[in-house]
Amino acid sequence: MNERTLGAGKIMAAIAGNSFREAIRDRWLLSLAGFAVLMAGAALLFTQMSFGIAAGALINFSLAAITFLGALMAVLLGNQLVAKEIERRTAYALLAHPVRRRELVLGKFAGLLLALTVNTGLMGLALLAALSWLQGGWHSGEGAVLAALYCVWLELALLTAVSLFFSSFASIGLAAVFSLSLFLIGNFNGELRGLGAAARPGPGRWLPRLVADALPNFGGLNLTTTASHYLPVSARLLGWNSLYVLLYGAAMLILSAVIFEFRDLK
Amino acid sequence: MYAVECKQLTKEYPPGWKPWRKAAIRKRALDGLDLQIQPGEIFGFLGQNGAGKTTTLKLLLGLIHPTSGEARLLGTPVHARSGVEMRRRVGYLPENPYFYEYLTGRELLRYFGRLSGLRGQTLEQRVEARLEQLGLSEAGNIALRKYSKGMLQRVGLAQAILHDPELVILDEPMSGLDPGGRREVREIILELKRQERTVFFSTHILSDAEQLCDRVAVLEKGKLRGVGPLSDWQGSESGSREIIWRQADGCSEAALQKMNLGAAQALPEAGKYRITVTSSQLWPALDAIRAASGEILKVEPARPSLEAIFFAEPRPNHEAAPVQRETTA
């Protein structure tokens, strides 16, 4: 193979590597240190409670914190993935190289997803360590915690794809507002469906359902309650969640790439 | 095959989202540009702010899409599928480059080198060579957020020539550089010419264009005003002569008025003066200088600077223009 011949994969890997480095050097991973301190403090606090309640409270608290910090990172960095490249004009030099626009979009997504994976993974390990310390060892129900952590990661991956989609055509500020709004609404997806089901036949019934179907179902990916009660999580549920995120996320990425392809870099 | 070729290249921008305006006015940033640049040329692209220079360069690199017309670089249509691969043979320095501030200069060059297909030892050698060439070896490990504007310009130039491109497109390459930096960039551009590379650069620093360019094009309000060798541009004022003389004991303004040479200009070197006269005024002016004990140093045909051409009012009679008009209003 010619020395100069780079496949699309290598181009995307180079862009992903740079995107990951940006996330790290923006000191986002410092949130990990804060999270570890939070875990230690929470574990100490929860020792005052009885064993069952303490573990459940720690899981609830930790998963909420992991989701919150991860979502913040996904939205704030995800919205900048393309918009910042254009607004700061770094995309000019980048796209003057033999880089296709879709490779830029996918590479940036992969880089941020990698940073989120590291972030979520390390915070998950901190949670498991705190749980182990609180309980004096491993508990059989921790499979549910691992499943919930996996679903948090799925949630963040989907949110990153949604943020990237808005980033491909809106400014950084607007994209942040859009994606954060969608994240909040998406977390109440079940309530939206319930609203439709309780309504009389007509638009009041089908409109909420239509909206709930169209918007990303972040609420469906949240297994915090299941994990805090150490309830079993079926492989089927995890499979469906994975497939849902894969398909919805892919649709967002394809739309982002198509929009960015036709966009003028002013 | 031309290094750069534009055929009726036009770019219009929409007026923005203004639903209350029924008749939306589209802004025409570039209007039917026809341009050919030969391989190995140093070609200057001149024009005032907003003339359409950067728009043209962005169109050539596929950063924006043309409204109509066609652009080719190194024989390949820019907006075709093959345009992406062609960019391996092109280097580009954007205007006021802004790079990833969290990277060091060395990391930035490695990153762009990888995107251009360079790897391993070749990449490392090129990075070090370019840092050395641009005087950034010591600053190579400093984060770009700590770079001055001139240093950013240099690292931008380094990334543009890192992969040894056949065609180098530079948008205001001298911008932000001190005189020493400008001289270094001029030397790099001349070195690229020696290596038979094509250099296409936009500038508003006309002395740089005068020193470097084989040909220049002047763009005005999106339209090409003219293109040609500098000698064609500068040899237009037929009949005018420039006299330079020395007046040992200096010359007051009153004395110049008395000599009927009120329009003379004192040169930085003490006692030297310059005046441009028509052929009918030449001998009376020389007589007046001699009569005032002035020493004639030089008499030569007056060649207007690019500034004079650049800022001149458009001439109504195009046939009297110094170079062939390629497009007309």
Side-chain angles (χ1 to χ4, degrees), chain A residues 3-4 6 10 14 18 21-22 25 85 88 90 92 94-99 101 261 264-266, chain B residues 11 58 62-65 84 87-88 98 100 102 107 111-112 114-117 119 122 159 163:
Chain A
E3 186 194 83
R4 288 185 165 204
L6 262 188
K10 285 177 181 169
N18 189 46
R21 183 152 44 187
E22 180 175 10
R25 294 199 182 166
E85 289 270 359
R88 295 197 170 179
T90 44
Y92 292 7
L94 186 70
L95 291 172
H97 288 83
V99 176
R101 292 190 181 200
E261 188 67 40
D264 276 348
L265 305 188
K266 288 181 185 174
Chain B
K11 178 64 185 174
K58 283 185 188 172
L63 299 175
I64 54 176
H65 303 274
V84 174
R87 291 205 290 267
R88 270 183 219 291
Y98 182 97
Y100 308 96
Y102 52 88
E107 286 170 342
Y111 177 47
F112 282 138
R114 280 189 203 106
L115 295 181
S116 297
R119 302 180 75 195
T122 311
Q159 64 81 29
H163 52 295

Side-chain angles (χ1 to χ4, degrees), chain B residues 19-32:
Chain B
W20 60 89
R21 287 183 67 174
K22 284 184 181 172
I25 301 161
R26 295 172 71 85
K27 188 195 169 202
R28 185 166 283 202
L30 193 66
D31 193 355

Side-chain angles (χ1 to χ4, degrees), chain B residues 256-267:
Chain B
L256 288 171
Q257 293 289 354
K258 196 175 170 189
M259 291 157 66
N260 206 17
L261 298 174
Q265 181 191 0
L267 295 176

Side-chain angles (χ1 to χ4, degrees), chain B residues 48-63:
Chain B
Q48 299 183 58
N49 290 340
K53 301 189 298 292
T54 297
T55 297
T56 306
L57 301 189
K58 283 185 188 172
L59 281 165
L60 290 175
L61 289 152
L63 299 175

